[in-house]
Amino acid sequence: MEQTVEDYKLIFEKEGVYLHTNAKRSNQDTTIPGFIRIVERAGVPALEWSPLEDEGRSAPAVLYTKKDGEGGEDDTNFDPGYEPDWAVISTVKKDREHVPVKDSGQWSFSLPLSELYSLRRARFSLGRNFLVLTSRGGHPLPALHFHRGGTRELFRALQRYIILDQSPVEGRLFLAYPHDSGALSQSFDKLHLFDDGGSDLVSRFIQDPYATTFGGFSKVTNFFRAALRPPGSPTHLRTAQDRSLPPQSDEEPGFELINCGVELGPRPDVTRGEPLDKWEEFLDPEGQVKNPERIKELIFRGGVIPSLRKEVWKFLLGFYPWNSTFKEREDILRAKTDEYFRMKVQWKSVSEEQEMRNSLLRGYRSLIERDVSRTDRHNTFFSGNDNPGLTLLHDVLMTYCMYNFDLGYVQGMSDLLSPLLFVTQNEVESFWCLTGFMELVHQNFEESQEAMKQQLLQLSILLKALDPELCDFLDSQDSGSLCFCFRWLLIWFKREFSFEDILIMWEVLWTRLPCDNFHLLIACSILKSQRGELIGSDHDFNTILKHINELTMKLDLQTVLQGAEAIYLQLTACKEIPMKVQQVLGLYTPSSSEEDSPDSQASETQRLLSQSQAGAAASSNSACGPTYP
């Protein structure tokens, strides 16, 4: 950098600081080596990173400036020539007079220390540190990976200009203040640590070669990179634990990873049981089920044998009440059959001319016909052309549009119906079982996707409590939103396991034991099983997504279910389980005043960092398995 002495002064410099870009172009490196520097330009201190290839340039290609409306220059014609995976600027300037910008140089940045809001430092067991910084404008910079150490020295140099104050609720998060700031004397509530600026939780769409493998679920499967990651969210960051300086140097092997203040006990051993193979003995002379909770527990432990599924599933999915008699069930079946065919006649009687003037119904029919032709065609019940099973699949889905016209048909619903139709072998029964199933998951298919965003958030809360190191790694690779789990949660792992395994998994989940969100614990179990592969390999965002997608049909169901239940027992046995985790597990229900409070409407940062410790009910860890309420 050629600057006059008056304009430029180098304060600190460290080589071997890498930027992981997750670049999508074949001619771009995904890991770029460079320098991190603290410099003074005309007396203004700034933190800068530039790649090795840019040495000799007069200034970085991209500079931070004031937010819109706060003054400062901006160049509306500036086009960096790429779309970064992170929002780096609010307005930009360029300096290209002397040296043309190289591809790698486009990742350079310069951040005035007065604009530094927070930083986080973490270290994996692999021995590499990384830092992520966030500006006061709410923009997280990409993770800076210190392959050769140096974060402690950088902290020390930064303290020449700013105060780094440890967050009271997150040991690895540091807030930055100028030395003359009075902010430190304010209460924690006035620091605005949790302000999200009203940003939308889903701020950017992602175009990615592997996103198409998640299926074409219109309305609901738009793939988001930044889901649950609002600008300004400190959860983008990972830092050290000391209030002013990291206690150990980067080269010390004894760095202790903070576990969010929660020490989990050992994970108990869990055994699966035999499937439910007796039904009549649970019925009294009138046909009422004598002990439905015991039946649910047996199903949770081992599923149901195939010959009983047709009958038992109708109870699990609410077609028959558990306390109904033989006579009452006959009446229910008769009434439900009449109601079904009344709705079926509604769409069957629509003429072609009428349908031409009903674009909504025409659109539903088109989607259904397309999806039916490709749903579970490997299964003999749906294979071949002119298969009556395909006709039933089509008719039930069209009738559901009449039953719930507001929701209608959304791609993915055919995946939910096909196992029901396969088991019941009956059009009417499969329809009413589908309505019961949709009562549990209909919000997954709503266009707003609020339920899906909420579930991804809850999954991140659980995973952070279970394995903060894995969360750190995923964050560093821009995968902390867990958006690669979207399809898992949308259709309850339908495409991840074999058809027979899904029959078992779903009947386990329909028991709602040990909690309503057991499907999230199943997702945690899968992610934990892949921990070594994810952290132990040189993965980036694309390869993480590819690896997760390639798990299809390779997972052992019983192992996954054992792991999920063991995770539940491990968490509930912890006496200091965070309140947010309690809420996900159904162990704590906030009062109406808490639900209406501003905190309940907060961003992911608020949800993850405002965890307070509260007692939780302990659960038995016996080998035969606990009894769930």
Side-chain angles (χ1 to χ4, degrees), residues 54-317:
D54 280 0
E55 292 310 297
R57 294 177 54 189
S58 58
V62 181
L63 298 175
Y64 267 102
T65 64
K66 299 279 188 181
K67 293 192 294 183
D68 294 340
E70 294 184 0
E73 302 176 8
D74 68 308
D75 187 340
T76 57
N77 297 318
F78 175 57
D79 179 6
Y82 70 102
E83 182 176 348
D85 295 332
W86 32 268
V88 66
I89 49 177
S90 51
T91 58
V92 294
K93 294 192 291 185
K94 64 175 181 177
D95 188 316
R96 295 187 176 183
E97 289 186 23
H98 306 299
V99 182
V101 177
K102 303 177 183 178
D103 283 347
S104 60
Q106 293 167 341
W107 298 97
S108 303
F109 67 80
S110 177
L111 176 67
L113 293 185
S114 61
E115 291 297 308
L116 178 62
Y117 174 67
S118 64
L119 54 82
R120 188 186 302 258
R121 175 182 183 269
R123 181 175 185 170
F124 299 131
S125 57
L126 299 177
R128 276 194 327 216
N129 292 331
F130 73 90
L131 280 179
V132 186
L133 304 92
T134 298
S135 76
R136 296 195 181 278
H139 302 293
L141 278 70
L144 298 176
H145 297 255
F146 287 71
H147 289 199
R148 304 177 189 174
T151 53
R152 179 187 176 112
E153 291 76 11
L154 176 63
F155 269 56
R156 214 179 256 123
L158 286 172
Q159 288 191 310
R160 176 174 175 176
Y161 300 98
I162 57 176
I163 297 172
L164 295 176
D165 187 55
Q166 186 182 32
S167 166
V169 295
E170 175 59 74
R172 291 170 290 178
L173 175 65
F174 288 78
L175 303 178
Y177 305 99
H179 280 293
D180 59 351
S181 171
L184 290 179
S185 64
Q186 300 180 25
S187 69
F188 174 69
D189 291 337
K190 295 182 181 179
L191 293 180
H192 305 298
L193 174 64
F194 299 139
D195 285 353
D196 63 1
S199 59
D200 187 0
L201 286 178
V202 182
S203 58
R204 287 169 288 143
F205 287 99
I206 279 301
Q207 302 298 324
D208 187 273
Y210 294 111
T212 55
T213 64
F214 274 16
F217 302 149
S218 67
K219 290 188 182 180
V220 293
T221 52
N222 301 312
F223 186 68
F224 296 106
R225 180 78 149 271
L228 309 175
R229 304 271 300 270
S233 169
T235 54
H236 288 79
L237 314 174
R238 300 282 176 236
T239 64
Q241 56 190 342
D242 185 75
R243 178 166 295 276
S244 59
L245 273 178
Q248 295 103 348
S249 72
D250 299 296
E251 291 70 32
E252 256 185 73
F255 183 88
E256 180 182 358
L257 187 68
I258 298 299
N259 195 20
C260 305
V262 178
E263 287 294 334
L264 298 179
R267 187 164 301 165
D269 293 329
V270 171
T271 58
R272 300 287 297 162
E274 295 297 320
L276 176 69
D277 59 357
K278 294 180 176 60
W279 178 248
E280 297 298 330
E281 68 181 40
F282 286 97
L283 303 180
D284 67 13
E286 299 296 320
Q288 289 183 316
V289 179
K290 292 184 290 188
N291 192 348
E293 296 308 316
R294 176 58 180 162
I295 291 176
K296 291 179 184 178
E297 186 177 340
L298 290 172
I299 295 172
F300 173 77
R301 188 68 52 204
V304 183
I305 63 172
S307 61
L308 292 180
R309 280 188 176 131
K310 178 179 172 65
E311 186 68 15
V312 175
W313 279 23
K314 288 181 280 188
F315 287 86
L316 288 172
L317 292 170

Side-chain angles (χ1 to χ4, degrees), residues 288-401:
Q288 289 183 316
V289 179
K290 292 184 290 188
N291 192 348
E293 296 308 316
R294 176 58 180 162
I295 291 176
K296 291 179 184 178
E297 186 177 340
L298 290 172
I299 295 172
F300 173 77
R301 188 68 52 204
V304 183
I305 63 172
S307 61
L308 292 180
R309 280 188 176 131
K310 178 179 172 65
E311 186 68 15
V312 175
W313 279 23
K314 288 181 280 188
F315 287 86
L316 288 172
L317 292 170
F319 183 62
Y320 292 144
W322 289 97
N323 62 352
S324 61
T325 64
F326 290 130
K327 178 62 170 62
E328 289 170 340
R329 291 198 283 274
E330 290 177 1
D331 294 339
I332 289 172
L333 179 59
R334 187 180 305 108
K336 293 291 188 182
T337 300
D338 290 344
E339 185 177 357
Y340 172 79
F341 283 107
R342 280 198 302 270
M343 291 185 290
K344 183 174 180 179
V345 166
Q346 291 175 4
W347 65 266
K348 292 284 282 187
S349 61
V350 174
S351 67
E352 292 185 9
E353 185 179 355
Q354 285 178 300
E355 190 168 312
M356 288 299 295
R357 295 190 293 270
N358 191 331
S359 60
L360 194 57
L361 180 61
R362 192 168 64 249
Y364 288 155
R365 185 191 295 272
S366 176
L367 284 174
I368 290 171
E369 290 176 350
R370 185 176 63 182
D371 283 1
V372 163
S373 65
R374 59 190 185 187
T375 299
D376 290 324
R377 297 305 299 275
H378 61 279
N379 188 297
T380 55
F381 191 78
F382 304 104
S383 62
N385 297 324
D386 300 323
N387 189 315
L390 298 178
T391 302
L392 291 177
L393 196 62
H394 171 275
D395 289 358
V396 171
L397 292 172
M398 284 296 297
T399 305
Y400 187 82
C401 292

Side-chain angles (χ1 to χ4, degrees), residues 532-597:
E533 170 63 27
L534 292 174
I535 295 183
S537 302
D538 189 21
H539 282 300
D540 60 13
F541 176 86
N542 286 337
T543 57
I544 290 173
L545 178 57
K546 182 175 184 290
H547 174 76
I548 294 298
N549 194 61
E550 289 176 346
L551 294 177
T552 299
M553 304 302 166
K554 297 179 181 177
L555 298 167
D556 179 73
L557 175 65
Q558 298 303 324
T559 301
V560 169
L561 292 176
Q562 285 175 337
E565 185 181 3
I567 288 171
Y568 177 83
L569 296 175
Q570 182 185 30
L571 289 172
T572 55
C574 177
K575 291 182 170 56
E576 297 180 340
I577 182 173
M579 187 179 297
K580 293 298 181 181
V581 178
Q582 293 184 55
Q583 292 177 11
V584 175
L585 298 180
L587 303 176
Y588 171 78
T589 302
S591 65
S592 58
S593 60
E594 288 177 296
E595 290 175 340
D596 294 337
S597 68

Side-chain angles (χ1 to χ4, degrees), residues 521-536:
L521 296 171
I522 290 176
C524 287
S525 177
I526 296 174
L527 291 174
K528 288 287 288 182
S529 73
Q530 301 303 307
R531 183 185 196 278
E533 170 63 27
L534 292 174
I535 295 183

